Amino acid sequence: MEYEEVVTTRRSLHEYSDEEVTEETIEEIVRQATFAPSSFNLQPWEFLVVQDDDRLATLAEVANGQEHIEEASATVVVLGDLDPSRHAEPVFEDWLQKGYIPDEETKGYLVDTVDGMAEMPETERRVWTNRSTALAAQQFMTAAWNQGVATLPMEGFDDEALVKAFEIDDSEYEPVMLIAVGYPADGADELAAERKYRRPVDEVVHYETFEPAGETSLDGDATGDASAPADD
Amino acid sequence: MEYEEVVTTRRSLHEYSDEEVTEETIEEIVRQATFAPSSFNLQPWEFLVVQDDDRLATLAEVANGQEHIEEASATVVVLGDLDPSRHAEPVFEDWLQKGYIPDEETKGYLVDTVDGMAEMPETERRVWTNRSTALAAQQFMTAAWNQGVATLPMEGFDDEALVKAFEIDDSEYEPVMLIAVGYPADGADELAAERKYRRPVDEVVHYETFEPAGETSLDGDATGDASAPADD
């Protein structure tokens, strides 16, 4: 599909068909998702794919009972690595081999720099890994849609219950979001529903100085294309 | 361009031509970027576009002197709104008008729910806005590439100096990342350079249980397509 069609037609979907999304398809979606950039190419993302009915029920339970988690073919727990340095060694070895850096000394300096990042306070590491991992998560959702696979991103879950139920060491990894994955149900109502409001472009773009629009009304600032409504 | 081509050919670029990226093009990129999803469709993102030479020099100064900030046609400060409730009123009014919710009472309940989110501790609001805004930032970078416009995301800057220099109220908004924007220079070396390593798909995908791969070597787990190298 053309890029613009993918991003402007993608919608968050709650109604799925019974057709299974195969592991091959999920892995192709992840492959494309991980072309996202990350600081120093550190790639602090992990994708826990839950397909088993009992485990999906557990996941729904820790996510406020959201039933589409169980109805989807799979729900993916997108995890962010809280340790920026975990993959520094192969990443910088790759830079060295491909000539991005001149020598072992430079590699050592970069490894040290990233070891320093790993010493950031926990809050900064949380912010960093959430931000980094979200870049790949967005590309996961659009890559899926390009394969005909619908997604539903979810932030509403009990972190502590989730890491406990799935035996995740939360001193090392943080659940960033859940993404339900499935083929759209035939005639899913949501595909026909009018798209939701998007804040107009001239409200979110600022030149040179930042003067936020503050509270706005639905049709206050909307002009032309800028007000094209979109999906949630 | 086909979706897959956009996401697999996009590269972070440091070398730009002198051709200006027009405001019209930037606004079209932002329009497509903001089709990204957000919790309750709250859209906590703002894009501060810096094009003026003096202001670009200031921006470079607070970002460790990264010279591509000045060489690019523009550098965008992607800001995250720390107040989830700021746009709740028009967002839920839209839901009501389009039949996503049945009545004013439900709308009031949703507004109250989001007002509750706005009471989250500062750390949780930072994590939330960084994550939410990064979704749109990733789509900004791929939408740009689809228009022939290269980007360079940057996390390395002095937050406090940046908000001071640009008079941003950091109790309300947080600089999430910088994105340099420009047309690629003719024969930019980076476009010809071998793509950087990506962690293999079978290392980042986990089924049912999460067992991280730990430290890996460059060619340890790589198999077939999964190891296809990509860009930073």
Side-chain angles (χ1 to χ4, degrees):
Chain A
M1 218 187 293
E2 282 288 314
Y3 174 84
E4 186 177 342
E5 187 183 347
V6 172
V7 300
T8 60
T9 65
R10 184 202 59 76
R11 308 197 63 161
S12 295
L13 209 79
H14 296 73
E15 301 165 86
Y16 308 101
S17 80
D18 290 335
E19 188 182 348
E20 190 200 354
V21 180
T22 64
E23 295 186 354
E24 191 186 349
T25 298
I26 290 173
E27 289 174 18
E28 176 58 21
I29 293 166
V30 170
R31 186 185 73 83
Q32 294 184 26
T34 57
F35 276 80
S38 54
S39 270
F40 293 108
N41 194 28
L42 293 168
Q43 309 169 60
W45 41 64
E46 306 281 345
F47 299 84
L48 169 58
V49 180
V50 182
Q51 298 166 302
D52 173 76
D53 284 347
D54 288 343
R55 295 181 75 84
L56 283 171
T58 302
L59 194 55
E61 203 176 302
V62 300
N64 308 318
Q66 296 187 75
E67 57 196 19
H68 26 275
I69 289 175
E70 292 182 77
E71 288 162 8
S73 177
T75 293
V76 178
V77 183
V78 182
L79 295 167
D81 195 333
L82 290 161
D83 177 5
S85 71
R86 199 179 315 269
H87 307 290
E89 173 56 37
V91 161
F92 295 129
E93 178 58 29
D94 171 67
W95 288 24
L96 184 60
Q97 288 182 15
K98 291 176 184 160
Y100 283 91
I101 50 175
D103 50 34
E104 284 285 351
E105 193 185 335
T106 310
K107 179 183 157 187
Y109 168 79
L110 287 166
V111 169
D112 288 350
T113 300
V114 172
D115 283 346
M117 284 172 68
E119 302 298 319
M120 291 187 300
E122 192 199 345
T123 298
E124 299 310 319
R125 287 186 292 119
R126 287 190 62 205
V127 166
W128 176 78
T129 205
N130 271 275
R131 180 173 58 214
S132 306
T133 303
L135 298 178
Q138 178 60 24
Q139 200 141 294
F140 181 101
M141 292 185 274
T142 51
W145 190 244
N146 185 47
Q147 305 271 335
V149 174
T151 53
L152 180 73
M154 289 167 276
E155 295 184 321
F157 51 87
D158 178 338
D159 304 49
E160 284 179 31
L162 192 156
V163 299
K164 193 172 169 204
F166 286 85
E167 299 180 68
I168 293 160
D169 179 355
D170 64 354
S171 69
E172 300 286 339
Y173 296 93
E174 164 149 345
V176 167
M177 69 177 74
L178 307 182
I179 304 179
V181 169
Y183 290 100
D186 270 352
D189 288 344
E190 286 172 305
L191 291 177
E194 195 180 349
R195 289 182 157 277
K196 287 179 184 158
Y197 163 75
R198 276 301 183 277
R199 297 173 58 213
V201 169
D202 62 5
E203 182 184 312
V204 299
V205 172
H206 313 265
Y207 292 100
E208 306 305 339
T209 55
F210 178 58
E211 283 157 21
E215 272 205 22
T216 49
S217 66
L218 261 190
D219 37 26
D221 296 349
T223 52
D225 252 15
S227 67
D231 178 37
D232 65 326
Chain B
M1 218 187 294
E2 282 288 313
Y3 174 84
E4 187 178 343
E5 187 183 347
V6 172
V7 299
T8 60
T9 65
R10 183 203 57 78
R11 307 197 64 162
S12 296
L13 208 78
H14 297 72
E15 301 164 87
Y16 308 101
S17 81
D18 290 335
E19 188 181 348
E20 190 200 355
V21 180
T22 64
E23 295 187 352
E24 189 185 351
T25 298
I26 290 173
E27 288 173 18
E28 176 58 21
I29 292 166
V30 170
R31 186 185 73 85
Q32 293 183 28
T34 57
F35 276 81
S38 55
S39 271
F40 293 107
N41 194 27
L42 293 169
Q43 310 169 59
W45 41 63
E46 305 283 345
F47 299 84
L48 169 58
V49 180
V50 182
Q51 298 166 303
D52 173 74
D53 284 346
D54 289 342
R55 296 182 75 83
L56 283 171
T58 302
L59 194 54
E61 203 177 301
V62 301
N64 308 316
Q66 297 187 75
E67 58 194 19
H68 25 274
I69 289 175
E70 293 181 77
E71 288 162 8
S73 178
T75 293
V76 178
V77 183
V78 183
L79 295 167
D81 195 333
L82 289 160
D83 177 5
S85 71
R86 199 176 317 265
H87 308 290
E89 174 57 37
V91 162
F92 295 129
E93 178 59 28
D94 171 68
W95 288 23
L96 184 60
Q97 288 182 13
K98 291 177 183 159
Y100 282 91
I101 50 175
D103 50 35
E104 285 283 353
E105 192 185 337
T106 309
K107 179 183 159 189
Y109 169 79
L110 287 166
V111 169
D112 288 350
T113 300
V114 172
D115 283 345
M117 284 173 67
E119 301 297 319
M120 290 189 299
E122 192 200 346
T123 298
E124 298 310 319
R125 287 186 292 119
R126 288 190 61 205
V127 166
W128 176 79
T129 203
N130 270 275
R131 181 172 57 216
S132 307
T133 304
L135 298 177
Q138 178 60 24
Q139 201 142 293
F140 182 99
M141 292 186 274
T142 51
W145 191 244
N146 184 48
Q147 304 271 336
V149 174
T151 53
L152 179 73
M154 289 166 276
E155 295 184 320
F157 52 85
D158 178 339
D159 304 48
E160 284 178 31
L162 192 154
V163 299
K164 193 172 170 205
F166 287 85
E167 300 180 66
I168 294 161
D169 179 354
D170 64 353
S171 70
E172 299 286 340
Y173 295 93
E174 164 150 344
V176 168
M177 68 177 78
L178 307 183
I179 304 178
V181 170
Y183 290 100
D186 270 353
D189 288 344
E190 286 171 305
L191 291 176
E194 195 179 348
R195 288 181 158 277
K196 286 180 184 156
Y197 164 75
R198 278 302 183 274
R199 297 173 60 211
V201 168
D202 63 3
E203 183 184 311
V204 300
V205 171
H206 312 266
Y207 292 100
E208 307 303 341
T209 55
F210 178 58
E211 283 157 22
E215 271 204 23
T216 49
S217 66
L218 262 189
D219 35 28
D221 297 348
T223 53
D225 252 16
S227 68
D231 179 39
D232 62 327

